[in-house]
Amino acid sequence: MRILVLGNSHVAALRVAWRQERSRWPRLEVQFAAAHAQGQADLSITNHILAPKSQKVRENMMRVNGRADYDLRDYDAFAISGGTPSIFHAISLYNQARFFGLPSLADFDPNKSQEWSVLSRANFQSALVGLMQNGSAMDIARTLVSTGKPCVILQQLRVSLDCLSQPRKYAGFLRVKNTGDTGVLSQMLDVSSTAAYADLGNVLHQPHITRIHDIFTAPEYRRGATRLTANDSALQPADDFIHGNGRYGTALLDALYSHFFS
Amino acid sequence: MNVLDLEPPPPGLSGENAARYGYGLYSARYGNIYSVRQLKQLLEDALSEKVREEDFWFAGARVHDGLRPNVDPDGLDSVEEAIFLRRYHLAQVRRMVASSDVFVFTAGLTEIWINRLTGTVYPTAPGVIASPSHEVEIDFQNMRFAEVLSDLEAVRNLLQEVRPGIQMLVTVSPVPLTATASAKHVLLANSSSKATLRAALGEFAERNEDVDYVPSYEIITNPAARGNLFAPNLRSVTQTGVEVVMGQFLLAHGLTQSPATRAPLVATELEEMADGVVCEEALLEAFGE
């Protein structure tokens, strides 16, 4: 099976894993079409060729992938890793709203004022789906779905547990951890991720083996993460907690493999 | 003027979904309050923090708040969730009244759906969106002048209890009935209902110095307007109609029109009501077909 993986800087983890262990997935042949930031939203299909519309994205893709044009007839399926549903969507909404079912609301007193509003679970999910559908992956997913070939959306990995070394910057995550809402919020993230792309493709949730405390990624799947470059060898800064490493990429490709072949 | 919104929508909710979930229509998410009886009940419940389990109705496995069935359109997971959310909502209603200088109410209907045993009033007939449990019996009732007037006085007292000195602006909705549960033709039901409301609100405003009547009904329906302030469906009020009413209101009260004036939202609200997006009355008509 020939898979084209698209996305942004999060593609680096997959590409590192593929370069290092491709024999682990004998029935897969994987190629990559990554672009920094929102570049994947610039891609369009003309006569089966997927290519960027702007020169700027083209140059970026040439630097990062060695190519910018992809004949989609060469692939059996697509996977998107970048701009996809993320724990950041859930946390940003959690900062402004809570929903029935969260453990922290067990002793809720509506007469005490709070900084957030209270919603039904369905309402919160609807709002979270709305946030997720504003991501850049939605545009490229709609483009790829028009080929009739399967498209898999890879949920963005949760922030590394190491982020708590910067409690001010990651105060929202610390708040969730302290309230005991991590499990229910993580479930809401997964359910909403699937719902957000229900009409476009399957969403693969972050592999459970890579998670810790529900809303974090275990540090061993982040440490040593590299930047998206031609050879993906430059390390991410020490205070980057959002990108996965090659080990994480392996877990993702394992999940992708299971999705297609089990 | 500052229009309060104690239950704003969460980020991420699209405009369409926000309207579906009852956001951006009123100062809290109580849904449509058609009758003065319904308003009085809301304030009584808010002040007493009363939640009645029989007010939660069912559509299959989903639970709906029978007192505001359109607010969570896909229903809730459980009665427990429904009770929890209702308590939260009632707390916002208390906060809303406590923060208000002026309370604005548009009376729409005299027809109500009432729990035979408890006297609880619902905005929609059973079965239209959801149905009560079989132990609850709901009757139709058409409120009379004396009842409406009595309820208005009770509303005023309840508001004053929370916010002494609060003023009231009352008006009759110019949107005509699209359906009636009475045995009358809808034309007769409409004129009877509007006349009852107009007389009661007029008397209420005459009796109380802190109550003012806003003649939106007269402005929209007066013959000189030749029906031009109604949309082609002869039910929704046009944007022009809203602006005329708001303009007259602001002029009468020595206020200036500003970009923050809520007129466009009111127009949207009225159009949406006529389009059946949020109007239980329109659903009743469809259900009846």
Side-chain angles (χ1 to χ4, degrees):
Chain A
M1 170 172 267
R2 301 163 299 172
I3 296 182
L4 180 64
V5 175
L6 302 97
N8 56 16
S9 54
H10 290 284
V11 169
L14 287 147
R15 197 154 61 183
V16 166
W18 179 253
R19 283 183 179 135
Q20 291 175 350
E21 296 185 79
R22 60 195 302 164
S23 61
R24 184 184 174 100
W25 307 284
R27 297 170 69 183
L28 278 189
E29 179 58 46
V30 183
Q31 293 186 356
F32 301 88
H36 281 109
Q38 315 293 319
Q40 63 177 341
D42 193 57
L43 297 169
S44 65
I45 304 173
T46 305
N47 296 329
H48 307 287
I49 306 297
L50 182 75
K53 292 184 284 248
S54 75
Q55 186 59 28
K56 185 177 172 189
V57 174
R58 172 169 288 278
E59 287 170 4
N60 178 258
M61 289 184 74
M62 287 300 298
R63 262 197 318 276
V64 165
N65 309 290
R67 59 188 290 198
D69 301 282
Y70 297 80
D71 189 335
L72 298 182
R73 290 172 295 189
D74 294 339
Y75 306 98
D76 303 302
F78 309 105
I80 302 173
S81 181
T84 55
S86 138
I87 187 65
F88 286 95
H89 292 125
I91 295 287
S92 74
L93 185 55
Y94 178 89
N95 285 340
Q96 301 188 54
R98 306 287 159 91
F99 59 95
F100 180 78
L102 287 169
S104 63
L105 293 187
D107 297 320
F108 178 66
D109 181 355
N111 292 312
K112 287 189 182 159
S113 61
Q114 49 276 329
E115 295 167 353
W116 32 265
S117 55
V118 174
L119 313 177
S120 66
R121 183 203 53 77
N123 193 350
F124 189 98
Q125 181 176 317
S126 191
L128 184 53
V129 165
L131 286 175
M132 291 173 171
Q133 289 177 337
N134 280 332
S136 61
M138 181 60 67
D139 294 328
I140 187 63
R142 284 200 186 103
T143 300
L144 294 170
V145 151
S146 66
T147 65
K149 296 178 182 178
C151 183
V152 178
I153 292 89
L154 303 174
Q155 189 185 63
Q156 188 164 314
L157 83 166
R158 288 148 169 75
V159 68
S160 168
L161 184 65
D162 285 342
C163 78
L164 297 183
S165 65
Q166 295 190 7
R168 289 184 74 178
K169 186 174 175 186
Y170 291 92
F173 290 85
L174 187 58
R175 191 177 304 127
V176 180
K177 186 170 182 290
N178 290 341
T179 57
D181 288 340
T182 56
V184 174
L185 190 63
S186 177
Q187 271 179 341
M188 172 61 74
L189 168 65
D190 287 346
V191 168
S192 301
S193 299
T194 299
Y197 284 80
D199 295 337
L200 296 174
N202 292 304
V203 173
L204 285 194
H205 302 146
Q206 177 173 354
H208 283 267
I209 194 173
T210 67
R211 306 183 194 185
I212 187 168
H213 302 314
D214 302 305
I215 63 164
F216 297 100
T217 294
E220 59 267 33
Y221 292 97
R222 195 283 307 178
R223 289 171 187 161
T226 55
R227 304 174 75 147
L228 181 74
T229 59
N231 57 14
D232 302 321
S233 58
L235 288 175
Q236 289 279 4
D239 62 350
D240 172 88
F241 302 110
I242 67 170
H243 290 95
N245 56 21
R247 188 173 172 184
Y248 182 74
T250 296
L252 269 189
L253 286 172
D254 282 347
L256 206 54
Y257 199 81
S258 294
H259 173 75
F260 283 115
F261 299 117
S262 62
Chain B
M1 279 194 308
N2 182 29
V3 178
L4 296 178
D5 187 350
L6 274 290
E7 297 190 76
L13 214 53
S14 66
E16 183 188 342
N17 270 339
R20 281 184 74 229
Y21 279 95
Y23 290 105
L25 299 175
Y26 307 110
S27 293
R29 288 173 70 217
Y30 22 74
N32 291 330
I33 298 179
Y34 295 102
S35 67
V36 186
R37 178 61 56 89
Q38 201 185 335
L39 173 63
K40 184 183 84 152
Q41 177 180 278
L42 171 65
L43 294 173
E44 284 173 341
D45 287 350
L47 266 62
S48 65
E49 302 184 49
K50 183 188 275 188
V51 176
R52 296 168 292 269
E53 203 164 312
E54 69 266 17
D55 293 341
F56 301 110
W57 296 3
F58 301 85
R62 304 299 290 167
V63 180
H64 290 261
D65 185 336
L67 298 179
R68 44 176 197 153
N70 262 334
V71 163
D72 274 288
D74 300 320
L76 305 168
D77 296 339
S78 64
V79 171
E80 200 184 6
E81 181 178 27
I83 291 172
F84 180 89
L85 291 170
R86 182 136 190 88
R87 288 200 200 287
Y88 173 77
H89 166 64
L90 291 177
Q92 306 319 302
V93 172
R94 286 195 296 279
R95 285 202 182 91
M96 176 195 74
V97 175
S99 315
S100 302
D101 298 314
V102 181
F103 187 87
V104 181
F105 178 67
T106 300
L109 299 175
T110 51
E111 298 185 10
I112 60 174
W113 297 96
I114 185 164
N115 184 313
R116 187 183 296 175
L117 188 63
T118 64
T120 303
V121 172
Y122 302 96
T124 183
V128 174
I129 297 173
S131 300
S133 60
H134 65 273
E135 298 89 359
V136 178
E137 294 194 38
I138 311 294
D139 292 335
F140 168 76
Q141 187 176 313
N142 207 346
M143 296 190 68
R144 311 286 283 272
F145 169 84
E147 293 170 310
V148 175
L149 185 57
S150 172
D151 284 349
L152 285 166
E153 293 290 355
V155 163
R156 179 176 172 276
N157 291 337
L158 288 164
L159 291 172
Q160 293 284 345
E161 197 179 313
V162 179
R163 183 84 162 109
I166 190 171
Q167 296 175 300
M168 289 183 72
L169 288 173
V170 293
T171 186
V172 176
S173 169
V175 178
L177 269 65
T178 191
T180 178
S182 72
K184 300 176 191 168
H185 189 282
V186 69
L187 272 180
L188 293 174
N190 180 65
S191 65
S192 172
S193 185
K194 299 300 182 186
T196 299
L197 292 172
R198 177 61 185 91
L201 266 60
E203 177 67 20
F204 180 55
E206 289 290 325
R207 286 183 182 185
N208 296 287
E209 280 193 15
D210 51 13
V211 179
D212 204 4
Y213 175 77
V214 179
S216 56
Y217 180 83
E218 285 81 355
I219 291 171
I220 300 299
T221 63
N222 93 90
R226 292 179 167 81
N228 290 329
L229 298 181
F230 280 107
N233 65 6
L234 299 179
R235 193 161 183 264
S236 314
V237 176
T238 62
Q239 176 66 29
T240 302
V242 172
E243 287 172 3
V244 169
V245 171
M246 286 303 297
Q248 290 300 308
F249 167 75
L250 292 170
L251 198 64
H253 291 270
L255 299 168
T256 314
Q257 186 90 14
S258 76
T261 302
R262 211 174 167 220
L265 183 60
V266 174
T268 302
E269 165 197 339
L270 289 169
E271 285 166 13
E272 283 179 345
M273 284 175 71
D275 288 342
V277 171
V278 296
C279 185
E280 288 91 351
E281 188 187 308
L283 286 173
L284 174 62
E285 182 186 12
F287 183 76
E289 288 166 7

